[in-house]
């Protein structure tokens, strides 16, 4: 099977793209989880969330998209078929969705906060801001580190990527660069970007093959079911496969850290400030920065 990422076609099972490793068996063993994260850069945990709660959160998101005319009503709402001419939606900061009891009962579930507390070896907190995505046909996320968007607090910060529904390969699942790419120089340069301070593009590249050719490693992805989650740190290169289906790929990504470590102030509070200056003034193209860095 061939999957598309940006301009590239990658054969699943070929040298450039494989399947994510399943770490579900380690879910209650924090030391083993930490060792696995250090080795792979990510943790795929099946049913980390309660699937029924994810189903309820999905419903809230679908109703919001439907109210906005984005769902093709000739199909069951649950199929999330995209209305003709409708675009994607990024509902980051849309509290009418992200702070519903249904949504919070997934991403702020006491059992999830406790799981992170065990993993982090100390009480955990989560950012108030939640990133929620309805990815349309033909779209995908370019390759990036999360640190460029949220690096003002502790770097011991973790993303939990949660599919809000089953996600098959054709629906554009998350993809991560694993298998020991040598990204030291990328970390020292691109990894120090702050998009609000630098007015820089956030994605390092849209071409996944270029990354493997320059830095090594192998892309990995997976199909997902309701309840699954992928956890990773701020310096994991990741993006997504193109959504080749006629349905929205629904997901959210939320952040967790130790409560006693510094917090990036843009993402917490009653009304998080979010990206307050990213697109102000002239944007600096990533190609220009990469030239300066010799990358
Ligand atoms: O869901 C996506 O397409 C991208 C997610 C992402 O970049 C993240 O979880 O940090």
């Amino acid at each position: 099977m061939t999957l598309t990422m940006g301009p590239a076609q990658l054969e699943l099972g070929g040298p450039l793209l494989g399947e994510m490793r399943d770490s579900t068996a380690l879910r209650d063993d924090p030391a083993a989880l930490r060792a696995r994260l250090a080795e792979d850069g990510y943790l795929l945990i099946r049913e980390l969330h309660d699937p029924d709660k994810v189903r309820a959160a999905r419903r809230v998101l679908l109703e919001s998209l439907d109210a906005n005319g984005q769902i093709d009503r000739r199909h069951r709402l649950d199929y999330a078929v995209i209305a003709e001419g409708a675009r994607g939606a990024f509902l980051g900061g849309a509290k009418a969705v992200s702070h519903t009891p249904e949504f919070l009962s997934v991403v702020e579930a006491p059992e999830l906060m406790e799981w992170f507390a065990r993993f982090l070896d100390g009480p955990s907190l989560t950012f108030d801001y939640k990133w929620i995505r309805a990815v349309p046909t033909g779209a995908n996320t370019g390759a990036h580190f999360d640190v460029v968007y949220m690096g003002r607090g502790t770097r011991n910060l973790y993303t939990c990527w949660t599919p809000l529904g089953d996600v098959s390969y054709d629906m554009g699942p998350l993809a991560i660069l694993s298998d020991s790419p040598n990204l030291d120089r990328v970390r020292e340069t691109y990894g120090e970007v702050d998009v609000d301070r630098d007015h820089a593009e956030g994605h390092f590249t849209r071409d996944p093959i270029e990354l493997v050719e320059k830095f090594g490693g192998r892309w990995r992805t997976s199909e997902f079911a309701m309840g699954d989650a992928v956890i990773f740190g701020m310096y994991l290169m990741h993006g997504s496969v193109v959504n080749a289906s006629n349905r929205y790929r629904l997901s959210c990504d939320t952040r967790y850290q130790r409560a006693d470590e510094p917090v990036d102030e843009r993402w917490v509070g009653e009304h998080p400030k979010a990206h307050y200056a990213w697109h102000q003034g002239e944007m600096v193209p990533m190609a220009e920065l990469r030239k300066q860095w010799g990358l």
Side-chain angles (χ1 to χ4, degrees):
M1 180 191 292
T2 301
L3 300 180
T4 306
M5 286 178 73
Q9 309 279 322
L10 292 87
E11 183 62 26
L12 184 61
L16 299 171
L17 179 66
E19 295 257 2
M20 285 186 187
R21 175 147 58 155
D22 186 335
S23 294
T24 310
L26 311 179
R27 64 174 283 166
D28 297 320
D29 184 343
L33 287 169
R34 283 181 220 121
R36 177 63 61 82
L37 187 85
E39 192 179 335
D40 288 352
Y42 69 95
L43 298 167
L44 164 59
I45 303 191
R46 304 285 184 196
E47 280 202 23
L48 182 65
H49 309 289
D50 177 340
D52 288 334
K53 291 184 178 173
V54 176
R55 195 167 291 111
R58 171 185 175 83
R59 177 103 202 155
V60 169
L61 176 53
L62 284 171
E63 281 167 0
S64 158
L65 293 171
D66 185 48
N68 210 23
Q70 288 174 279
I71 298 288
D72 183 341
R73 289 193 167 166
R74 291 172 303 173
H75 303 267
R76 270 178 45 189
L77 177 61
D78 189 46
Y79 291 167
V81 176
I82 304 169
E84 207 179 309
R87 297 149 62 120
F90 176 68
L91 290 112
K95 286 178 99 174
V97 175
S98 69
H99 282 61
T100 53
E102 290 86 350
F103 205 83
L104 292 178
S105 80
V106 176
V107 298
E108 297 192 358
E111 53 280 16
L112 183 65
M113 300 309 294
E114 279 155 25
W115 186 87
F116 271 105
R118 289 194 298 278
F119 174 68
L120 297 167
D121 199 19
S124 61
L125 70 73
T126 184
F127 288 176
D128 295 301
Y129 190 97
K130 322 290 182 197
W131 287 253
I132 302 175
R133 301 166 202 267
V135 180
T137 312
N140 85 307
T141 303
H144 65 279
F145 286 165
D146 279 350
V147 72
V148 304
Y149 302 112
M150 50 195 78
R152 292 189 183 178
T154 181
R155 302 270 166 112
N156 189 26
L157 173 67
Y158 294 88
T159 293
C160 179
W161 186 87
T162 301
L164 296 169
D166 298 351
V167 177
S168 48
Y169 287 126
D170 63 327
M171 289 173 70
L174 181 76
I176 58 94
L177 184 64
S178 183
D179 298 53
S180 311
N182 183 352
L183 295 173
D184 292 352
R185 273 283 299 152
V186 179
R187 202 178 152 126
E188 286 161 19
T189 53
Y190 167 67
E192 290 301 314
V193 165
D194 174 318
V195 295
D196 284 300
R197 182 195 62 207
D198 302 332
H199 310 288
E201 243 178 276
H203 293 167
F204 185 74
T205 179
R206 291 201 58 76
D207 183 356
I209 297 181
E210 182 213 355
L211 276 170
V212 174
E213 284 173 347
K214 284 204 168 111
F215 306 107
R218 188 177 185 222
W219 286 92
R220 290 186 179 265
T221 187
S222 179
E223 292 191 299
F224 296 98
M226 201 99 65
D228 296 349
V230 183
I231 287 104
F232 52 89
M234 289 296 101
Y235 298 97
L236 181 75
M237 194 60 84
H238 64 283
S240 78
V241 172
V242 167
N243 183 359
S245 77
N246 64 345
R247 303 166 64 190
Y248 283 114
R249 185 263 276 169
L250 304 176
S251 63
C252 67
D253 32 290
T254 46
R255 270 76 203 181
Y256 304 84
Q257 65 169 81
R258 274 179 63 134
D260 59 0
E261 292 185 1
V263 183
D264 185 329
E265 86 289 355
R266 288 169 293 182
W267 307 113
V268 290
E270 186 62 21
H271 301 289
K273 163 157 85 166
H275 287 306
Y276 60 93
W278 184 10
H279 291 284
Q280 276 172 21
E282 206 167 318
M283 290 289 286
V284 186
M286 187 50 61
E288 197 174 304
L289 290 172
R290 288 183 57 181
K291 211 184 294 167
Q292 287 170 24
W293 300 328
L295 289 174

